[in-house]
Amino acid sequence: TRTRTRTRTLTPTRTLTLTRTLTLREPFRVEGQAWKKLGFVNPRPMEDLKASGVLGLRTMLHFAAVYPAKIQLILKEQAPRTDRHYPLAIVANNITLMVAEVLRLRFAGFADLEICGWGIFNVEGEAAAFEVFAEVVCLLIRLLDARWKRTGATRRRFGELIAGLRRDFESLMQEDPLDLQDLLHLAMDRQLMY
């Protein structure tokens, strides 16, 4: 039997996949100003993804693959780069880290923790569990985007918006949703959805 070696680093191949998924028309470069169009602050995306690493990149890839029209719309709307616009890649990375922290995955791994909401991960296999995680991140990105627009937020209010998003997510998880659909229904019932 062959075993696959998993790469846990951000590779040029993974970043190329992201640029292709987001249909950037520019030639791929590991470093360059084109990354800023995706909402990275640094022209070297690996620098912006240090805290989340591959997880941050994979959730962004999932968002681009599953919701291509939404991510293209967000990128278009956020393109002007003023105080009223947010860098999507940085926001997605922050939300990925926030979800990992709420689920106590960031530092504790899958330690034996009593956490409400684990039922949403009651799926078969690592790929399915990642998909649930990525869908939670996608839900929260879309929710943050809707709140950003509705409130006319500026970058100064980002901390306030992400804190509110975290409170809402923690509250939803306290309801101990049975699965991802249950989580989505709880969000709709509480009128958290846009």
Side-chain angles (χ1 to χ4, degrees):
T1 59
R2 258 178 29 178
T3 57
R4 274 181 44 192
T5 305
R6 292 189 186 165
T7 306
R8 298 280 181 203
T9 59
L10 190 58
T11 64
T13 302
R14 286 189 171 133
T15 53
L16 175 58
T17 302
L18 180 61
T19 59
R20 283 186 180 152
T21 304
L22 296 173
T23 63
L24 285 181
R25 305 244 187 277
E26 299 171 30
F28 169 73
R29 287 180 179 61
V30 174
E31 187 175 317
Q33 295 303 312
W35 291 105
K36 291 187 175 189
K37 292 179 183 177
L38 300 178
F40 288 94
V41 173
N42 197 309
R44 292 179 309 278
M46 290 77 147
E47 295 296 317
D48 289 340
L49 293 170
K50 276 184 180 176
S52 67
V54 174
L55 183 60
L57 179 62
R58 286 185 65 198
T59 55
M60 230 180 133
L61 281 168
H62 180 87
F63 188 54
V66 176
Y67 306 99
K70 183 62 177 175
I71 200 166
Q72 289 295 336
L73 179 63
I74 291 173
L75 287 170
K76 181 180 175 186
E77 290 173 345
Q78 300 307 325
R81 302 283 181 253
T82 68
D83 191 43
R84 294 227 173 260
H85 301 89
Y86 63 84
L88 177 60
I90 299 302
V91 167
N93 192 45
N94 276 297
I95 290 174
T96 298
L97 291 170
M98 185 259 300
V99 171
E101 286 173 3
V102 168
L103 297 174
R104 299 185 188 158
L105 301 176
R106 189 162 181 199
F107 299 111
F110 284 102
D112 185 26
L113 300 170
E114 299 258 341
I115 300 174
C116 288
W118 278 106
I120 67 172
F121 294 100
N122 192 15
V123 293
E124 283 293 320
E126 184 180 325
F130 168 75
E131 188 169 323
V132 170
F133 181 91
E135 280 297 316
V136 168
V137 171
C138 291
L139 166 71
L140 296 175
I141 291 170
R142 294 187 328 259
L143 186 54
L144 180 101
D145 183 64
R147 288 177 180 181
W148 187 277
K149 291 174 191 171
R150 189 176 63 242
T151 63
T154 62
R155 288 189 187 185
R156 270 182 251 169
R157 288 198 52 219
F158 178 74
E160 177 186 322
L161 286 174
I162 200 83
L165 195 66
R166 182 183 182 123
R167 279 189 306 276
D168 288 341
F169 178 56
E170 288 172 338
S171 177
L172 286 171
M173 294 303 281
Q174 287 299 316
E175 295 288 326
D176 207 13
L178 302 173
D179 55 26
L180 185 58
Q181 283 304 112
D182 194 27
L183 178 71
L184 294 173
H185 286 135
L186 286 168
M188 286 190 288
D189 288 348
R190 291 185 180 191
Q191 298 181 344
L192 297 179
M193 299 302 291
Y194 38 98

